[in-house]
């Protein structure tokens, strides 16, 4: 047992058995690694074939979506403009209706005044102005006296003798009862 060749041979044999054991354990792992490499290679080939058309389709879809979003934005802005125009039209119609209401009231007030003047009727609120929108029980709804002053109109007869200045003065003096004739 003291022979060095024996120990050298034994140690080489044990190293060979260890290397053989490692190779036998690594052999299935290397085989699986080769299969995985082949699978990855097929995946990348498929990816190279399928990815460019898919990316192109995605690019086209994103362009279409952005076009639709732009047209939708324009549509919303157009709808906003239409709403603003309708609001302006409604305001204009409201203003015109209020103006027409004032004109109709003024017209009927004129017709009523003309009728009362022609028929000789006295208006019911002579000498006072009432606010018809206030409640009668409200103390602030009081009649306010209106100063009635007569303005001399001169000769209002349409066929008065106006051929001479003296005739027009005489006609003017005779039509005004508050001025005594000389």
């Amino acid at each position: 047992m003291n022979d060095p060749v024996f120990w050298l041979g034994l140690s080489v044999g044990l190293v060979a058995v260890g290397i053989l054991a490692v190779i036998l354990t690594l052999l299935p792992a290397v085989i699986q690694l080769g299969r995985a490499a082949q699978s990855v290679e097929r995946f990348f080939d498929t990816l190279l074939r399928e990815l460019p058309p898919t990316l192109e389709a995605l690019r086209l879809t994103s362009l279409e979506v952005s076009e639709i979003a732009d047209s939708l934005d324009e549509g919303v802005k157009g709808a906003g403009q239409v709403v603003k125009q309708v609001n302006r039209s409604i305001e204009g119609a409201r203003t015109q209706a209020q103006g027409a209401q004032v004109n109709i009231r003024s017209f009927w007030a004129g017709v009523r005044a003309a009728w009362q003047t022609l028929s000789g009727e006295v208006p019911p609120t002579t000498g006072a102005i009432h606010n018809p929108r206030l409640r009668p029980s409200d103390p602030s709804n009081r009649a306010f006296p209106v100063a009635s002053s007569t303005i001399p109109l001169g000769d209002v007869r349409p066929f008065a003798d106006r051929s001479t200045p003296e005739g027009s003065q005489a006609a003017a003096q005779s039509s005004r009862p508050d001025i005594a004739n000389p």
Side-chain angles (χ1 to χ4, degrees):
M1 280 222 192
N2 288 337
D3 189 20
V5 177
F6 171 74
W7 289 112
L8 180 65
L10 183 65
S11 62
V12 169
L14 284 176
V15 168
V17 169
I19 290 176
L20 183 64
V22 168
I23 289 175
L24 287 177
T25 5
L26 286 178
L27 189 62
V30 170
I31 292 172
Q32 287 295 336
L33 193 58
R35 288 180 187 163
Q38 289 174 354
S39 175
V40 167
E41 186 179 353
R42 282 184 293 211
F43 172 73
F44 282 129
D45 287 341
T46 305
L47 194 61
L48 286 175
R49 280 193 313 258
E50 299 291 328
L51 189 60
T54 305
L55 290 176
E56 183 65 23
L58 282 174
R59 187 181 68 80
L60 291 175
T61 303
S62 68
L63 287 175
E64 290 174 1
V65 166
S66 67
E67 287 176 5
I68 290 171
D70 289 342
S71 67
L72 183 63
D73 187 40
E74 290 173 5
V76 167
K77 286 180 182 176
Q81 293 293 335
V82 167
V83 167
K84 287 179 184 177
Q85 182 64 31
V86 166
N87 284 340
R88 284 193 295 258
S89 299
I90 288 172
E91 287 299 320
R94 182 178 293 141
T95 303
Q96 288 179 354
Q98 289 172 349
Q101 185 179 16
V102 168
N103 288 341
I104 289 172
R105 285 182 183 170
S106 299
F107 173 75
W108 282 114
V111 167
R112 190 177 322 127
W115 179 257
Q116 289 173 353
T117 302
L118 292 175
S119 66
E121 293 178 13
V122 177
T125 59
T126 304
I129 297 175
H130 293 282
N131 189 347
R133 292 186 180 184
L134 296 177
R135 289 177 274 143
S137 63
D138 190 4
S140 65
N141 187 16
R142 297 186 180 131
F144 300 100
V146 177
S148 61
S149 61
T150 57
I151 300 172
L153 297 175
D155 189 15
V156 291
R157 294 179 298 176
F159 299 110
D161 184 20
R162 294 181 187 237
S163 60
T164 63
E166 296 83 21
S168 65
Q169 287 176 351
Q173 289 176 353
S174 66
S175 67
R176 293 177 59 192
D178 58 336
I179 300 176
N181 286 337

